[in-house]
Amino acid sequence: MNSSKILKITTILIVSAFYIFSILLAAEVLFRINSQYKPSGIAYDKNLGWRFVKGLRVRRYSMARKKTISFSTNSIGFRDKEHSIKKDEAIKRIMFLGDSYTAGDFVSDEEIFTKLFAQKINVRNEYDVMNISCSAWATDQELLFLQNEGTKYRPDYIFLIIAPNDIRATYVKGFFVLGANNSLKRNKFPSVSWKERFCWFLSNRSSFYQFLQKEMLKTTFGNFDNIFSHFTVFWHIAGAPSIDAPLFLKEVPDEVKKSYDLFKATLLEINNLCIQKKCKLILTVMPTKMEFNHELRNDLYQPGNASNYVKRIALEYDIKFLDLFSNLQKEDNPLRIFIPEEFHLSPEGHSWIAQELYSFFKTLKY
């Protein structure tokens, strides 16, 4: 093939590529305008399963609250400001670890209780408050984050914000299992093919791909339907009114007992890591709506089971514990802290949690 033919073919390929790129770019701009097809906010993570997409800056409409909320993440994928790994020795660092309650599902960035707590505690700029949380995370992922990344930030205090469903999800997901003498053993990480990870990547970055998914491909990459097909977080216990009701049964089934045992081992591993790194661990259990709205029948269920279980562990191992469940029981209207159409915290709930955390933290004598 002579040089003129090679030049002609090369020119055709370049022009074709340019037109294809232009069409794709135009399609992306068009679908970015349409709020139905916004890129996904959840990204695949090879160490943790998933986390929020890094560097998000979006506003989205909340059906539960019937208003638009702001949602942003920092450069490591959490709803928080930026934090340097290098720490100012004159400032104490407080790290919050949690799931969707701590991440602030259904509230704007400025309404999250960690942000409100930081405002209360930082009158003299003595503390650096970190929010390390993600929707649907459990205590196993929080342990993995500490092992892989978290201790690099050298926190002085760690608030582990436990949701009762952490006990279920940690067990069912199987990232860890119990070994000999109830020791914690790392399990094989679920396999996710490169093709699926690439589709997840596209869903995080392209509105046009989201359009193709929804209207043509009928796939769900980048949302929790797809995540939970790889990382199982639900158990199936017959007769329960909801997925987490078995955690509060007075007569505890064997599967629930096993989940509590694994959760305890996970919790103690976090405590051991904190001891090694000279960091103070503080435990609390997030009250749930079902414990206060009469969803759980008195003859079968005991609200506060999860909180009381963690409280006993804290007493046994000399770990500080904030009893949010008991404190909420003292309120005239406990349900006010939850979104009426949802089970997560309302802005008022985040404000209440922030005040409880602040009042408790001030009493600590370290």
Side-chain angles (χ1 to χ4, degrees):
M1 187 181 292
N2 59 41
S3 59
S4 62
K5 285 186 177 180
I6 293 174
L7 179 61
K8 185 177 180 180
I9 291 171
T10 303
T11 303
I12 291 171
L13 289 175
I14 292 173
V15 171
S16 298
F18 174 77
Y19 275 113
I20 291 171
F21 175 78
S22 299
I23 291 169
L24 291 176
L25 181 60
E28 181 64 27
V29 171
L30 177 65
F31 287 108
R32 285 268 171 157
I33 297 170
N34 190 329
S35 60
Q36 276 186 286
Y37 307 113
K38 294 294 185 186
S40 165
I42 296 291
Y44 172 75
D45 188 284
K46 65 180 181 179
N47 296 316
L48 302 167
W50 64 91
R51 71 205 296 171
F52 292 131
V53 172
K54 300 172 183 179
L56 272 178
R57 296 290 184 276
V58 298
R59 292 183 65 80
R60 63 187 188 189
Y61 187 76
S62 168
M63 294 294 293
R65 292 186 60 197
K66 297 178 175 58
K67 65 175 294 186
T68 299
I69 64 171
S70 61
F71 187 102
S72 62
T73 61
N74 61 16
S75 60
I76 58 172
F78 298 108
R79 293 189 76 183
D80 196 7
K81 65 180 183 179
E82 297 294 338
H83 298 273
S84 171
I85 290 179
K86 185 178 180 181
K87 191 178 74 168
D88 185 340
E89 296 301 328
I91 295 177
K92 299 294 185 182
R93 181 165 278 169
I94 305 172
M95 180 181 287
F96 284 86
L97 292 170
D99 64 356
S100 56
Y101 289 98
T102 309
D105 278 19
F106 301 98
V107 300
S108 287
D109 297 333
E110 67 276 5
E111 296 174 314
I112 302 173
F113 68 75
T114 53
K115 182 74 172 289
L116 302 177
F117 171 82
Q119 291 170 357
K120 292 175 182 293
I121 205 74
N122 254 338
V123 177
R124 300 183 184 88
N125 293 320
E126 298 172 286
Y127 298 97
D128 179 31
V129 178
M130 299 183 68
N131 184 330
I132 304 295
S133 57
C134 182
S135 300
W137 266 16
T139 312
D140 54 349
Q141 287 155 299
E142 290 147 22
L143 169 59
L144 288 171
F145 175 83
L146 282 176
Q147 292 173 333
N148 295 327
E149 301 174 56
T151 56
K152 296 176 185 176
Y153 289 90
R154 296 170 57 210
D156 297 282
Y157 309 95
I158 289 178
F159 271 99
L160 189 64
I161 310 295
I162 300 161
N165 60 26
D166 290 353
I167 299 166
R168 178 255 301 160
T170 297
Y171 171 73
V172 179
K173 205 181 312 130
F175 286 3
F176 293 94
V177 293
L178 282 179
N181 300 318
N182 284 335
S183 61
L184 201 63
K185 180 181 177 183
R186 183 73 169 94
N187 213 357
K188 186 178 179 181
F189 201 77
S191 175
V192 179
S193 71
W194 71 266
K195 291 182 180 178
E196 291 172 305
R197 294 198 299 270
F198 181 65
C199 291
W200 216 332
F201 174 86
L202 289 177
S203 75
N204 296 154
R205 288 159 177 81
S206 172
S207 290
F208 179 50
Y209 181 76
Q210 291 289 68
F211 162 76
L212 293 177
Q213 277 210 110
K214 186 172 182 180
E215 306 299 342
M216 299 174 67
L217 302 174
K218 306 300 181 184
T219 54
T220 58
F221 293 104
N223 67 27
F224 282 110
D225 288 340
N226 183 258
I227 288 171
F228 295 152
S229 70
H230 294 287
F231 305 98
T232 304
V233 298
F234 302 117
W235 55 24
H236 302 283
I237 298 177
S242 68
I243 195 69
D244 287 321
L247 293 166
F248 304 100
L249 282 166
K250 292 179 180 178
E251 297 294 330
V252 183
D254 285 342
E255 191 169 10
V256 178
K257 287 180 181 177
K258 291 176 183 177
S259 71
Y260 271 105
D261 290 342
L262 178 63
F263 174 76
K264 179 179 179 179
T266 309
L267 199 60
L268 294 181
E269 189 67 24
I270 292 175
N271 187 48
N272 290 337
L273 186 60
C274 287
I275 292 170
Q276 292 170 21
K277 300 298 181 179
K278 295 180 172 54
C279 169
K280 304 299 183 182
L281 179 62
I282 305 163
L283 304 177
T284 190
V285 178
M286 189 66 64
T288 64
K289 195 173 187 178
M290 72 170 64
E291 295 174 275
F292 292 91
N293 67 359
H294 307 296
E295 181 179 336
L296 304 176
R297 289 171 48 192
N298 291 336
D299 57 331
L300 297 177
Y301 299 95
Q302 181 58 60
N305 259 6
S307 182
N308 290 333
Y309 181 79
V310 175
K311 185 177 183 178
R312 289 194 295 270
I313 295 173
L315 288 171
E316 182 179 356
Y317 291 90
D318 193 28
I319 306 170
K320 299 296 183 182
F321 179 76
L322 167 59
D323 194 345
L324 286 174
F325 176 80
S326 295
N327 291 356
L328 188 58
Q329 279 186 313
K330 300 171 186 175
E331 296 285 328
D332 293 334
N333 179 21
L335 291 176
R336 70 183 175 84
I337 77 165
F338 304 103
I339 297 172
E341 296 82 7
E342 232 277 334
F343 61 87
H344 282 93
L345 296 172
S346 64
E348 188 175 3
H350 278 271
S351 180
W352 182 82
I353 295 290
Q355 182 58 50
E356 292 293 316
L357 290 167
Y358 173 66
S359 298
F360 181 78
F361 189 77
K362 287 198 305 180
T363 68
L364 299 181
K365 305 295 183 185
Y366 286 134

